[in-house]
Amino acid sequence: MLEDARELKARLGPSIKLIMNDRADLCLAADFDGLHVGQDDLSPTPPAHHRPTRLLDIHHNPTN
């Protein structure tokens, strides 16, 4: 999966922003631009190694 993510990033180039779903490790390893997590997936507090230049999208459903 990591090699596929890196290939996608290389093919699309820097003008396209890529968001990884649920996998912070792959987001960082593939140098994606952001991470999407659901409300039950990870803590909404970014990890210490989370670069401030990355996007963090957290899905929150207040009815749950």
Side-chain angles (χ1 to χ4, degrees):
M1 188 182 300
L2 177 56
E3 288 306 314
D4 290 338
R6 286 179 173 159
E7 181 179 343
L8 181 64
K9 174 94 175 156
R11 285 182 183 225
L12 294 176
S15 63
I16 303 296
K17 301 299 181 204
L18 295 173
I19 307 297
M20 179 66 68
N21 189 40
D22 294 337
R23 295 287 306 266
D25 56 338
L26 290 177
C27 176
L28 293 171
D31 199 28
F32 272 31
D33 302 289
L35 175 68
H36 168 82
V37 293
Q39 67 186 33
D40 297 324
D41 293 328
L42 293 172
S43 167
T45 304
H49 63 274
H50 181 77
R51 291 189 225 165
T53 57
R54 298 198 194 262
L55 304 170
L56 178 61
D57 175 53
I58 302 168
H59 175 83
H60 175 70
N61 184 350
T63 60
N64 287 345

